[in-house]
Amino acid sequence: MKVAVVGATGLVGSKMLQVLTERNFPVTELIPVASERSVGKQVEFKGKQYSIVSAADAIAAKPNVAIFSAGGSTSLEWAPKFAEAGITVIDNSSAWRMDPTKALIVPEINADSLTAADKIIANPNCSTIQMVVALNPLHKKYKIKRIVVSTYQSVTGTGVKAVNQLMNERKGVEGEMAYKYPIDLNVIPQIDVFLENGYTKEEMKMVKETKKIMRDDSIRVTATTVRIPVMGGHSESVNVEFENDFDLAEVRSLLSAAPGVVVVDDPANAQYPMPMDAHEKDEVFVGRLRRDESAPNTLNMWIVSDNLRKGAATNAVQIAEYLNGKGLL
């Protein structure tokens, strides 16, 4: 099993190498790929050193699967070239997510739609992944009509430059800015660029991807995405209106039984999900479950997950595990 990781030196790429190791994915040969300036440098994987190669050299090495985390423009240029060579691509960028010919996969929800013909598979946006993992079991039971979500997103979602900005500001050190404004002791209600409708690109990703992953265009979604001075995970306040009424005890039971979900919901003892508890974990944590007293058939919930793991690297590796298990690689 030859595995290429494209963007192996970035925050998510490094996390992918870590997750491949931890989950014992059967890698017999690693092919790390990065930009031209990184070619020849070394990365460590399972105690061995591997030299970074170019994308063209990676294709020539004929990996079974290539996991991309190198940005949209790289994916648009190189993913089709890998696919043409018969290599299955799992892409973490936004490049292919809304392409009607490409599968957008969260394994707990819709991996069953994958076939050997799917050569470019899209990994959804981090904030979408954790939300749909928690909502899917409830949608199956009560049918979701509308979702109102506000996110509280970690600086790691922007990348290492943003992490450095936050840490520099903590220390009072001048440095490169990933954001237009300070992030320490601040909250920035903008993630990605603004669109004509007044929403940001990140917000519209959540709207469109949710419908595609859950295979239901009737679900209405409105989102506000916010960057906060946190490392380790994204948090979301989610208000869900269902077609059918629910019982809170049954909601807890459905979530507790759902793959990849952990319920942390004990207000009497101040137990609820926090990003510091989700850090370096693969599960989606759900709490603050309560009926919305202002609207019928409506639930409030709080959802937290490590955005570099389940929101990116782990979800991609889980897709590879599914493909391998089904003999599709």
Side-chain angles (χ1 to χ4, degrees):
M1 178 70 68
K2 288 187 185 180
V3 178
V5 174
V6 181
T9 57
L11 261 187
V12 175
S14 305
K15 192 61 66 178
M16 282 173 176
L17 297 179
Q18 180 188 333
V19 172
L20 284 165
T21 302
E22 287 175 12
R23 295 177 74 91
N24 266 324
F25 191 77
V27 182
T28 54
E29 184 184 335
L30 178 74
I31 305 163
V33 182
S35 63
E36 291 293 337
R37 67 179 179 274
S38 295
V39 169
K41 291 181 182 172
Q42 302 275 298
V43 294
E44 188 180 325
F45 179 71
K46 289 192 172 181
K48 283 178 67 178
Q49 295 293 320
Y50 291 85
S51 291
I52 291 168
V53 301
S54 68
D57 285 345
I59 293 171
K62 288 267 189 278
N64 302 79
V65 62
I67 306 178
F68 273 60
S69 185
S73 57
T74 301
S75 294
L76 286 170
E77 180 184 356
W78 284 101
K81 295 176 181 175
F82 276 76
E84 281 160 21
I87 301 156
T88 300
V89 172
I90 301 167
D91 180 46
N92 198 55
S93 80
S94 61
W96 304 100
R97 289 176 189 156
M98 294 316 300
D99 183 326
T101 68
K102 304 292 184 286
L104 181 67
I105 299 296
V106 176
E108 292 90 340
I109 300 172
N110 62 345
D112 60 333
S113 66
L114 289 169
T115 70
D118 290 303
K119 284 299 174 194
I120 298 177
I121 300 163
N123 212 31
N125 185 40
C126 46
S127 47
T128 306
I129 290 174
Q130 66 187 69
M131 184 173 77
V132 297
V133 166
L135 291 185
N136 191 57
L138 304 181
H139 180 51
K140 282 185 190 166
K141 180 73 181 180
Y142 310 115
K143 189 156 179 29
I144 293 171
K145 285 175 69 175
R146 182 170 184 254
I147 300 164
V148 182
V149 54
S150 297
T151 71
Y152 307 73
Q153 294 182 222
S154 161
V155 294
T156 56
T158 308
V160 71
K161 187 174 167 185
V163 174
N164 291 340
Q165 178 183 334
L166 174 60
M167 299 323 286
N168 283 339
E169 288 169 1
R170 284 268 149 111
K171 297 172 193 160
V173 174
E174 289 280 321
E176 195 179 16
M177 301 273 285
Y179 306 115
K180 185 177 179 181
Y181 302 104
I183 185 62
D184 191 31
L185 301 176
N186 195 24
V187 161
I188 302 173
Q190 176 189 355
I191 298 179
D192 214 326
V193 296
F194 281 103
L195 305 172
E196 281 185 14
N197 64 357
Y199 285 77
T200 66
K201 204 169 169 185
E202 180 88 354
E203 289 158 356
M204 293 312 297
K205 284 178 193 173
M206 293 192 76
V207 172
K208 293 173 182 173
E209 291 177 24
T210 298
K211 295 170 187 268
K212 184 171 177 179
I213 297 160
M214 295 178 82
R215 300 181 266 209
D216 191 339
D217 282 337
S218 74
I219 298 172
R220 291 173 294 152
V221 185
T222 186
T224 303
T225 57
V226 180
R227 191 71 69 190
I228 64 169
V230 158
M231 289 196 291
H234 291 349
S235 305
E236 297 171 349
S237 170
V238 182
N239 179 271
V240 201
E241 180 189 354
F242 298 103
E243 279 196 9
N244 304 300
D245 202 8
F246 57 87
D247 174 74
L248 264 179
E250 187 179 44
V251 165
R252 285 193 178 88
S253 173
L254 288 167
L255 289 168
S256 297
V261 176
V262 175
V263 176
V264 184
D265 188 38
D266 182 6
N269 292 300
Q271 296 290 309
Y272 30 71
M274 294 183 290
M276 65 193 298
D277 300 320
H279 184 54
E280 287 295 353
K281 295 190 174 74
D282 288 328
E283 295 82 9
V284 172
F285 297 85
V286 182
R288 297 298 322 275
L289 293 161
R290 64 209 187 276
R291 192 175 281 280
D292 180 346
E293 296 184 347
S294 71
N297 303 353
T298 304
L299 177 73
N300 284 306
M301 56 203 298
W302 177 251
I303 303 170
V304 178
S305 191
D306 186 321
N307 54 293
L308 293 183
R309 291 186 68 102
K310 183 55 184 168
T314 302
N315 200 75
V317 173
Q318 285 175 314
I319 293 170
E321 288 171 344
Y322 179 89
L323 293 169
N324 188 43
K326 294 289 181 183
L328 298 173
L329 286 182

